Amino acid sequence: MTGTQIDHLIQLLAKLPGLGPRSARRAALHLINRKESLLRPLAEAMAQAADTVAPCEICGNLDSVQPCAICRDPRRESSIICVVESVADLWALERSAVFRGRYHILGGTLSALDGIGPEDLNVGALIARASEAVVGEVILATNATVDGQTTAHFLAEKLAGCEVQVSGLAHGVPVGGELDYLDDGTLATALSARRPV
Amino acid sequence: MTGTQIDHLIQLLAKLPGLGPRSARRAALHLINRKESLLRPLAEAMAQAADTVAPCEICGNLDSVQPCAICRDPRRESSIICVVESVADLWALERSAVFRGRYHILGGTLSALDGIGPEDLNVGALIARASEAVVGEVILATNATVDGQTTAHFLAEKLAGCEVQVSGLAHGVPVGGELDYLDDGTLATALSARRPV
């Protein structure tokens, strides 16, 4: 019915989270009607991101530089590592602007149902980092879900051998909630009031 | 906080209709995690669309060929022209799969509030097309809104000089509704039961 190239564009846009077939059609028209101001810049930004963005080899954060901007920032404390499930959670914590240490991205949680074990997560590198003399504290900031808390307990046991204090996020994180959906104030409170586990 | 290239990508994604800042972040992560299967193909589809998609010089439809696939299709009746406000409306009618004639895209409606007059719409070309001997009927399929119906009346007067039957969509289009949001069955009914104005 429509041009095959437009159809192709709509089909790909419909694969984005939050866009269905109808909103993908709207988005395609919106883009084509704004060729120079939006369509071309977005195509270039995507091609550039595909070429340059990769997981940081230290922490797993996504960035176009290696190591990532947070790992290479000398103003950030190297003594604290905050362990999060995903890059989205790192972004949520950065928006709260309270934490000034480093991060470690697990890449998920342990999950018996989905068959995800410790070997599927970025755990070995975390233990190695926590064993470095400069690191004094590891904050386990996994989500307050069953899988997230199971993972935190597993990591706390693993980290018992390292000479670090292990802490978790404090009150403020609603049970069953996910970090990426919290408001910045709640996240800031939870970070400031963190407690040993 | 995040890589500047990722930030740039998120800012552009947030300009799409239906995506806010949070869903733009989700979409960016979704894309970066599917570099080869989605991010690169989408970047290429966008670049190609920016290079090739343009309004058809006959009807105003968007396509990557000139004239568009509908205007160049010999199986479609040249005797009927269906006038719609936008390409989204053309797509909606094509999905109903009842109409086998040609289209004409107005590019909007008359609107006193927005200062849109006949000279801002694709009206001259429509009169020229309707004056051709082969054309026997013009269907005014503007939206059932105040502006859409005002435009239809204006066009009906303009077309009175041409030797064509002028018709409008029949019952089935809800008052105040827009074509792009109708189900295909209602659109098919409205097309089949069209009546002279």
Side-chain angles (χ1 to χ4, degrees), chain B:
Chain B
M1 84 193 204
T2 62
T4 50
Q5 293 202 347
I6 301 182
D7 273 341
H8 183 57
L9 178 60
I10 292 172
Q11 278 164 21
L12 289 171
L13 283 171
K15 292 184 182 173
L16 289 178
L19 288 188
R22 186 183 299 275
S23 43
R25 287 196 296 268
R26 265 182 74 206
L29 278 179
H30 188 89
L31 284 166
I32 292 169
N33 289 329
R34 287 157 187 80
K35 256 190 197 180
E36 301 307 324
S37 65
L38 188 55
L39 181 52
R40 264 185 225 283
L42 188 52
E44 276 160 31
M46 285 182 171
Q48 278 206 342
D51 286 340
T52 64
V53 173
C56 171
E57 54 200 12
I58 298 176
C59 73
N61 183 22
L62 291 169
D63 204 339
S64 45
V65 290
Q66 193 68 263
C68 75
I70 293 175
C71 284
R72 64 165 57 199
D73 185 346
R75 292 165 303 175
R76 301 196 67 126
E77 295 171 38
S78 297
S79 59
I80 311 187
I81 296 175
C82 181
V83 180
V84 290
E85 293 178 17
S86 69
V87 175
D89 295 338
L90 182 155
W91 290 353
L93 284 165
E94 283 296 284
R95 286 196 298 279
S96 82
V98 163
F99 183 64
R100 299 301 301 158
R102 315 280 179 169
Y103 288 96
H104 193 84
I105 316 281
L106 279 181
T109 54
L110 299 176
S111 169
L113 272 177
D114 298 333
I116 298 173
E119 66 283 359
D120 301 310
L121 302 178
N122 196 9
V123 173
L126 173 63
I127 307 299
R129 290 180 73 189
S131 305
E132 288 170 17
V134 68
V135 177
E137 179 176 1
V138 173
I139 307 174
L140 300 176
T142 49
N143 287 325
T145 56
V146 173
D147 283 345
Q149 291 310 298
T150 307
T151 308
H153 279 113
F154 168 81
L155 290 176
E157 277 179 27
K158 279 277 187 186
L159 290 164
C162 312
E163 290 188 352
V164 289
Q165 191 180 3
V166 179
S167 56
L169 291 183
H171 300 298
V173 183
V175 175
E178 300 198 350
L179 293 195
D180 193 30
Y181 289 86
L182 277 186
D183 63 280
D184 302 351
T186 311
L187 271 170
T189 314
L191 256 176
S192 303
R194 66 183 183 271
R195 51 178 170 62
V197 286

Side-chain angles (χ1 to χ4, degrees), chain A residues 54-73 102:
Chain A
C56 170
E57 54 201 13
I58 297 176
C59 73
N61 183 22
L62 290 169
D63 204 340
S64 44
V65 289
Q66 193 69 263
C68 75
I70 293 175
C71 283
R72 63 165 57 199
D73 185 347
R102 315 281 178 168

Side-chain angles (χ1 to χ4, degrees), chain A residues 43-125:
Chain A
E44 277 159 29
M46 285 182 172
Q48 278 206 341
D51 286 341
T52 63
V53 173
C56 170
E57 54 201 13
I58 297 176
C59 73
N61 183 22
L62 290 169
D63 204 340
S64 44
V65 289
Q66 193 69 263
C68 75
I70 293 175
C71 283
R72 63 165 57 199
D73 185 347
R75 292 165 303 176
R76 301 196 68 127
E77 294 170 40
S78 297
S79 59
I80 311 187
I81 296 175
C82 182
V83 180
V84 290
E85 293 178 17
S86 69
V87 175
D89 295 337
L90 181 154
W91 290 353
L93 286 164
E94 283 297 283
R95 285 197 298 279
S96 80
V98 162
F99 182 64
R100 300 300 302 159
R102 315 281 178 168
Y103 288 96
H104 193 84
I105 317 280
L106 279 181
T109 53
L110 298 178
S111 170
L113 271 177
D114 298 332
I116 297 173
E119 66 284 358
D120 301 310
L121 302 178
N122 195 8
V123 173

Side-chain angles (χ1 to χ4, degrees), chain A residues 146-185:
Chain A
V146 172
D147 283 345
Q149 291 309 298
T150 306
T151 309
H153 279 113
F154 168 80
L155 291 176
E157 276 178 28
K158 279 278 188 187
L159 289 164
C162 311
E163 289 189 350
V164 289
Q165 191 180 3
V166 180
S167 56
L169 291 183
H171 299 298
V173 183
V175 174
E178 300 198 351
L179 292 194
D180 194 30
Y181 289 86
L182 276 186
D183 63 281
D184 302 352

